[in-house]
Amino acid sequence: MDVNAAVAAAAAIAGVLTGVIAMLAFRWSERDQKRPTRTSLHTDPVLPPGVDTVLSVLRSSAVVLDEADAVVKASSAAYALGLVRGGKLAVEPMLQMARDTRRDGEIRQVELDLPRRGTGRGEALAVSARVAPLGSRLVLLLVEDLTEARRIEAVRRDFVANVSHELKTPVGALSLLSEAVMDASDDPEAVQRFAGRMQIEATRLTNLVQELIDLSRVQNDDPLEDAEPVRVDELVAEAIDRCRHQAGTKQITMAAGGTADLHVWGNRGQLAAAIGNLVENAVNYSPARTRVGIAARRVSGSGGDLIELAVTDQGIGISDKDKERIFERFYRVDPARSRATGGTGLGLAIVKHVVASHGGEVTVWSAEGQGSTFTLRLPEAGAARDRAQQHPDLDEEADQAAHSTSGSPDSGVSPDSAAYETLPAPEVLP
C-alpha cells in the first residue's frame, strides 16, 4: 500500500515538472521569434521618410549603401552607368569614399574618369561623385555624368583657339605691311606693292569675320520661321554671279542646267549662302581653263520628292581621309592653297548646317586629280512645308545633326553621269 502511494506521488511530481518545462520552452520560443536578429538588422534597413521619392526624381545617379557596403537603393541611371553590379558598388574609389564618410561623417566630392562599359576603345566616362551620410547607418552617393559637358567645353576651346589663330595671321600681316609702308615712304613703287598686299590681307580678314557672323547666324536662327518657296534657278544664278569675277580671272567656264522651275522651302538667304559657298569652292580649287557645272533635278525620296543640286568641278580632288573631315570648322585640305585663295575653312561647315536645318543632306564624291561633286538634297517646297507642319519636332533633330563635328558620309559611288547627260543643255556663262 505504502509502495503504491509512493509510486503514484512520484509519477504526479514528474508530470508536473514535465508540464512546467514544456510551458517554459514554449514561452522561450515565442520570445526568440519576436526578438530582432542580427541578420534582419543588417539586410532590411529602412530609408528615412521621403528619401526614396527624392532619389527617384534626381537627374544624378543615386546609390544608398548600408554599413556592410551593400546597396540598399540604386537608381536606374546608376545601373546604366555600370556603377552597381551584383548588388555591390563596382567602383573602388567611390566605395572607399563611402567608407571614409561613414567613419567620420564628412561629405566628400571627387571627379573621376571611368572606363566606359561595353566598349573596347578605351573611351573614358567623366563623372563627378559626391558622398554624404544619410542618417546614422546609411551613406548616399550621387554621381553626375560630365562626359557631354566636357565634350562641349573641348569643342568651345578648339573653336576659340582656331578663331584666334585665323585672326592672328591677317592681323599680323597687316601690322608688318604697315611698318614696311612707313619704312618705304620715299619709294612710291614699294608703297604701292605693300598697299596691294595690305588690301589682300584686309579682304581676307573681312571674309573671315563675315563667315564667323554667318555661321553664328545660321546656328541661332530657325530657317523655317520665315520660310518661303525659293526658286532653285534663282539661287544658282546668284551663286554664279557671286563667282563670275574669280572664274573670269582663271578662264573657268561655269555651266548651269537641269530641270527648270524647281522650288525648295526655306530661308532664302541661308540657302543662297550655302550654294554660293559650294560654287565658290569649286572655282577656287579648280585649275585654269576648266569647267564648273551646276545641275538641279527632282528625285523621289521616302518622305516625298527631293530637289537635288549637284556642283561639279575638275579640280584637285579630295583624298579619302580628308573627305571624312572637310565639313569640320576650320578644316582645310590644303592649308597653303587655302591661304592663296583666301579660304577660311568655314564654308563647308556653313553648308552642312544650313542643309541639315532645312531637313536635307549633303554628300560628296571625289577622286584625287579628277575633281569633286558636292550634292545637296532638299525637300521640295510643298513636301517640306507639309512635313514641318505635321512634325514640328523634326526641326530640333535637324539642329542637333547640324552641330555634329564629323564630316558628311561619302556616297561611295561616282555621280550618275548618265543622269546628268540627259539634262537640258546648260547655259554657258563665260
Side-chain angles (χ1 to χ4, degrees):
M1 184 73 178
D2 292 338
V3 174
N4 292 335
V7 171
I13 292 173
V16 171
L17 290 175
T18 302
V20 170
I21 292 172
M23 183 180 65
L24 291 176
F26 178 74
R27 293 286 181 88
W28 199 327
S29 175
E30 280 189 332
R31 187 184 304 172
D32 284 345
Q33 290 179 1
K34 293 180 180 180
R35 181 185 303 164
T37 63
R38 181 183 300 272
T39 303
S40 65
L41 284 174
H42 287 280
T43 59
D44 298 321
V46 179
L47 291 175
V51 172
D52 196 6
T53 304
V54 172
L55 295 182
S56 65
V57 299
L58 287 177
R59 297 182 61 183
S60 304
S61 303
V63 181
V64 179
L65 303 176
D66 64 10
E67 63 268 31
D69 292 335
V71 175
V72 177
K73 174 74 176 179
S75 64
S76 57
Y79 286 99
L81 290 178
L83 303 179
V84 178
R85 299 176 190 172
K88 293 289 185 179
L89 186 62
V91 183
E92 184 60 32
M94 296 182 187
L95 187 59
Q96 187 59 47
M97 287 173 58
R99 292 168 179 169
D100 295 340
T101 296
R102 186 185 301 112
R103 184 181 64 253
D104 56 22
E106 181 180 350
I107 297 176
R108 289 175 169 81
Q109 184 168 353
V110 68
E111 291 189 2
L112 301 170
D113 290 332
L114 307 178
R116 193 182 292 270
R117 187 173 65 172
T119 62
R121 294 174 293 179
E123 295 179 349
L125 186 72
V127 298
S128 173
R130 185 178 180 87
V131 181
L134 187 63
S136 58
R137 295 168 36 234
L138 304 179
V139 174
L140 172 64
L141 171 67
L142 294 177
V143 180
E144 189 75 23
D145 187 358
L146 304 179
T147 307
E148 183 64 15
R150 284 194 181 180
R151 188 192 69 80
I152 294 175
E153 178 63 19
V155 171
R156 186 194 65 81
R157 284 198 309 267
D158 291 344
F159 183 75
V160 172
N162 285 329
V163 170
S164 302
H165 176 74
E166 295 295 333
L167 289 174
K168 178 181 175 182
T169 302
V171 169
L174 287 172
S175 177
L176 292 175
L177 288 169
S178 64
E179 292 179 6
V181 169
M182 293 178 62
D183 293 339
S185 56
D186 56 348
D187 186 351
E189 184 178 346
V191 169
Q192 186 175 7
R193 184 172 67 255
F194 291 140
R197 289 294 308 277
M198 291 178 69
Q199 285 184 337
I200 294 174
E201 295 299 332
T203 300
R204 181 182 177 188
L205 181 60
T206 301
N207 292 339
L208 175 59
V209 172
Q210 184 59 50
E211 289 202 339
L212 286 172
I213 294 173
D214 292 342
L215 181 60
S216 175
R217 183 178 294 125
V218 299
Q219 287 180 337
N220 295 329
D221 293 348
D222 182 1
L224 302 182
E225 222 172 64
D226 300 318
E228 59 179 339
V230 182
R231 288 178 58 95
V232 175
D233 50 4
E234 291 181 358
L235 296 175
V236 172
E238 186 175 335
I240 290 175
D241 286 339
R242 169 178 167 179
C243 305
R244 190 184 298 274
H245 176 70
Q246 298 98 305
T249 302
K250 300 174 66 174
Q251 298 181 359
I252 291 177
T253 301
M254 289 190 292
T259 306
D261 200 26
L262 298 177
H263 293 77
V264 293
W265 182 263
N267 184 292
R268 179 185 176 83
Q270 292 188 16
L271 293 171
I275 297 173
N277 284 344
L278 289 181
V279 176
E280 186 175 10
N281 278 356
V283 171
N284 288 337
Y285 288 92
S286 293
R289 293 179 294 279
T290 55
R291 185 175 183 271
V292 171
I294 308 102
R297 62 176 181 173
R298 181 186 291 107
V299 296
S300 298
S302 57
D305 288 344
L306 302 174
I307 303 303
E308 184 178 272
L309 182 71
V311 178
T312 303
D313 63 58
Q314 298 172 322
I316 58 176
I318 306 169
S319 66
D320 290 337
K321 65 180 182 66
D322 289 320
K323 276 188 287 189
E324 298 178 357
R325 301 190 58 190
I326 56 174
F327 291 97
E328 296 179 14
R329 298 168 186 173
F330 296 108
Y331 184 81
R332 285 169 290 195
V333 175
D334 186 351
R337 188 179 182 91
S338 295
R339 283 194 293 270
T341 60
T344 63
L346 290 174
L348 291 179
I350 293 174
V351 171
K352 181 181 179 182
H353 192 100
V354 169
V355 173
S357 62
H358 281 75
E361 64 172 350
V362 54
T363 58
V364 57
W365 174 90
S366 185
E368 291 185 88
Q370 299 181 28
S372 305
T373 296
F374 286 84
T375 303
L376 307 183
R377 293 182 182 88
L378 296 166
E380 196 172 14
R385 182 172 62 250
D386 296 341
R387 179 173 177 267
Q389 292 173 352
Q390 295 174 5
H391 305 284
D393 57 319
L394 294 179
D395 296 341
E396 182 179 352
E397 297 177 5
D399 186 66
Q400 292 176 355
H403 278 81
S404 172
T405 58
S406 63
S408 176
D410 177 22
S411 61
V413 296
S414 63
D416 187 356
S417 57
Y420 287 103
E421 288 174 358
T422 60
L423 295 175
E427 173 191 1
V428 178
L429 305 174

